[in-house]
Every structure is written in structure tokens, then in C-alpha cells.
Amino acid sequence: MITMKISQLYNKGKTVFAIEVFPPKKGSAMPEKIYAALEEIAGLNPDYISVTCGAGGSDSQGGSPTVQVASFLKNVCKVEPVAHLTCVASDKQEVSDLLAQLKIHRVENILALRGDINPDIRRKHDFIYAADLVRFIREQGHWEVAGACYPEGHSEADCLETDLKHLKIKTDAGCSTLITQVFFDNALLYSFLDKARETGIDVPVSAGIIAVTSKKQIERMVSMCGASLPPQLTKMIAKYETRPDALRDAGIDYATRQIADLIEQGVQGIHFYAMNSPYVARKIHDNIKDLL
């Protein structure tokens, strides 16, 4: 199977559609149901599937539910995976070891992230910023490296302009594509993209979208990433929060309309956070497949 560098997907004259999944937490048994869910999601034929470092990003990659899931997608489902790799709790040797594991499984696309600061996990200092990790990975061989960006600015940056300066350093270090954090107001992305181009950032950008399926889910995500909720979304959540199926369907409808507008406005890619739900992934895909 020939590896597809994900940056090449943006040269095909269509909107790139990717789905994100997560493996079990480190140390957990790999439940069979995750394989069934992965096969169903892979059956939608997304351009690629990205694999996080664990539910909520809390898992250290140290070995490898991430590698297992990425390998399954690559070698069984025949879909190109993008393995997430964080560095806040890793040193250079640990990153090198993980790269060696990924190479064995022919996984060559990586999303390089600093990772969340966890007070319960000792921070290491070989990599201070994601740009340091990007630079290190690129030095190890012909890896394709994607990076993250934040339409509303990183929560630790004093302003969006400062964050964009750091993002330019990251793309200059070797990021060939970018994937945004979740956002719910498309106007924020369009403004961000204009400012990014003005800063000299010219790599393809995929928009990170999630369908709100529960109030608790979205409250947890917003607390982690700081994404703002527009009034129409908060009204929707309040209206349906006691009716789970109705909220799920309303969330799918909101995300569908958001994606349709993004595609109409020429956004280069959609990166859908499926939360391992084949049902939600299929509904979104079926709603937008003709637009893609």
C-alpha cells in the first residue's frame, strides 16, 4: 500500500474530508467494539483518519493504543491514518521510539502537538513548544507533519496576533498542513484565515468541526479548549438538553449547516471530530457527500 502524504490531498481540486477518532486510554484493553466502530467509520472513505493520543487527549502516547489504532486503519481498513504525537511529557528518546513503532506499521503522517499540561504528569523539557517537536520529527526522516491552530487564539497566548507569530514559527519548522481546534462560528475562522495569510502562513488549513450531541460533552470541550458558543447554539442546547436524541439530531443539523457554509466559502478541508460514533459520522457524511 502506497503512503499518501496528506498535503498532497489538497492538490486534487476538492474539499479534503477527514475524521478524527480516539483509542482507549493507555493501559486499557483494546475492546473489540472499537474495531467495529473504526471499520464502519473507515467505510465512509474519508481522505484520512486522525488518531488522538487518547480520550480527551489525556493519554500519554508512550506505546500505544495510538499506534495500534493507526496500524489497524492503515493495514486493515486501508485508510491513511494521521497519528497524533504529543511532547510535553516525552523526551527525544521516547519520541524516537514512537516514530520507530509508527514506521514499522507504515504510518508516516503525524499531527505534532505540545499536549495539555497535566499537573499529575511530570513535564519534560526536551520540547518546550510544538514547533520544537515538528523540527525534531522532520530531522528524523521523510515524515509528513501536520500542526494544530486555533481560530480564537491559543488559550495561553496573550492575543491572537501573538499566537499567529508562534504559528508561523511552527509552519516554518516543517508543518505542511494545519488542523484547527473546534469552533462554532464560521466568521471566526474566516477572520483567522485572513490574518494567517497576512502573517505569511500559506499551508492548507482544515476546519475542525464537531456535532454537539450532549450538554456535558460540549461543556467539557469548551472548558478544555476555550471555544466560544454562539447564541443560536446555546439556545439549541438549552432547548434539547433533556432530550438526548433530539439534541443529537439538532447538533448534527447545526454541524451540517456549518460545514456546508465552509465548503461554499472555499475552505480547503473539513476535519470532523466523530468522538468514535459511527452513527454521527455517517449522518454528517451523508449530509455533505454531494457537496464534497
Side-chain angles (χ1 to χ4, degrees), residues 22-24 26 51-55 57-61 66 84-86 113:
F22 58 84
K26 184 182 177 184
V51 185
T52 75
C53 294
S58 61
D59 182 27
S60 168
Q61 70 272 359
T66 299
H84 294 211
L85 201 167
T86 61
L113 305 160

Side-chain angles (χ1 to χ4, degrees), residues 4-38:
M4 168 66 74
K5 303 293 188 182
I6 62 170
S7 61
Q8 297 171 359
L9 295 167
Y10 296 88
N11 300 323
K12 297 187 174 183
K14 73 179 194 70
T15 307
V16 173
F17 180 65
I19 298 174
E20 181 170 295
V21 299
F22 58 84
K25 288 185 177 181
K26 184 182 177 184
S28 301
M30 183 72 78
E32 287 301 318
K33 67 180 181 179
I34 195 171
Y35 287 116
L38 290 170

Side-chain angles (χ1 to χ4, degrees), residues 139-195:
E139 290 170 352
Q140 306 311 302
H142 300 292
W143 298 93
E144 177 88 345
V145 185
C149 60
Y150 304 83
E152 299 178 67
H154 193 282
S155 59
E156 296 176 27
D158 56 13
C159 65
L160 179 57
E161 287 68 27
T162 298
D163 192 36
L164 284 168
K165 290 177 182 177
H166 289 294
L167 183 61
K168 179 65 164 64
I169 293 171
K170 188 159 60 176
T171 56
D172 287 348
C175 276
S176 59
T177 62
L178 295 170
I179 300 167
T180 81
Q181 180 57 271
V182 165
F183 62 93
F184 300 98
D185 181 348
N186 287 359
L188 293 171
L189 179 73
Y190 301 141
S191 175
F192 169 81
L193 290 175
D194 287 342
K195 291 175 181 177

Side-chain angles (χ1 to χ4, degrees), residues 14-282:
K14 73 179 194 70
T15 307
V16 173
F17 180 65
I19 298 174
E20 181 170 295
V21 299
F22 58 84
K25 288 185 177 181
K26 184 182 177 184
S28 301
M30 183 72 78
E32 287 301 318
K33 67 180 181 179
I34 195 171
Y35 287 116
L38 290 170
E39 285 188 294
E40 194 170 342
I41 290 170
L44 300 174
N45 294 314
D47 292 298
Y48 66 88
I49 296 179
S50 72
V51 185
T52 75
C53 294
S58 61
D59 182 27
S60 168
Q61 70 272 359
S64 276
T66 299
V67 173
Q68 292 176 45
V69 169
S71 177
F72 179 76
L73 292 169
K74 171 83 175 187
N75 300 300
V76 177
C77 299
K78 308 303 182 185
V79 174
E80 199 63 49
V82 174
H84 294 211
L85 201 167
T86 61
C87 64
V88 68
S90 301
D91 57 32
K92 290 181 179 180
Q93 186 59 56
E94 288 169 322
V95 170
S96 295
D97 291 345
L98 183 60
L99 291 174
Q101 292 180 47
L102 291 169
K103 187 173 183 179
I104 289 170
H105 294 279
R106 299 185 298 137
V107 177
E108 298 181 18
N109 292 287
I110 294 172
L111 176 59
L113 305 160
R114 185 199 69 177
D116 297 326
I117 305 298
N118 185 334
D120 298 324
I121 299 176
R122 183 172 67 89
R123 183 172 183 178
K124 299 184 181 179
H125 298 284
D126 282 4
F127 307 99
I128 304 302
Y129 302 107
D132 301 324
L133 177 61
V134 172
R135 198 172 292 111
F136 180 78
I137 294 171
R138 291 300 299 268
E139 290 170 352
Q140 306 311 302
H142 300 292
W143 298 93
E144 177 88 345
V145 185
C149 60
Y150 304 83
E152 299 178 67
H154 193 282
S155 59
E156 296 176 27
D158 56 13
C159 65
L160 179 57
E161 287 68 27
T162 298
D163 192 36
L164 284 168
K165 290 177 182 177
H166 289 294
L167 183 61
K168 179 65 164 64
I169 293 171
K170 188 159 60 176
T171 56
D172 287 348
C175 276
S176 59
T177 62
L178 295 170
I179 300 167
T180 81
Q181 180 57 271
V182 165
F183 62 93
F184 300 98
D185 181 348
N186 287 359
L188 293 171
L189 179 73
Y190 301 141
S191 175
F192 169 81
L193 290 175
D194 287 342
K195 291 175 181 177
R197 301 315 181 203
E198 290 170 3
T199 309
I201 298 165
D202 58 2
V203 301
V205 178
S206 280
I209 302 296
I210 192 170
V212 176
T213 57
S214 79
K215 182 179 180 182
K216 182 179 293 186
Q217 168 216 49
I218 207 60
E219 287 176 342
R220 182 173 63 249
M221 177 162 286
V222 167
S223 70
M224 289 174 60
C225 71
S228 59
L229 301 179
Q232 63 268 37
L233 184 58
T234 56
K235 289 178 182 177
M236 183 197 83
I237 295 169
K239 182 175 182 179
Y240 297 118
E241 64 178 298
T242 60
R243 298 164 55 196
D245 289 349
L247 178 56
R248 178 199 62 197
D249 291 345
I252 290 171
D253 177 67
Y254 186 95
T256 297
R257 288 184 281 113
Q258 195 179 357
I259 292 170
D261 178 71
L262 291 166
I263 295 173
E264 180 181 334
Q265 296 301 316
V267 168
Q268 294 158 295
I270 303 297
H271 189 91
F272 182 67
Y273 297 85
M275 305 304 291
N276 285 18
S277 170
Y279 177 87
V280 174
R282 182 171 297 280

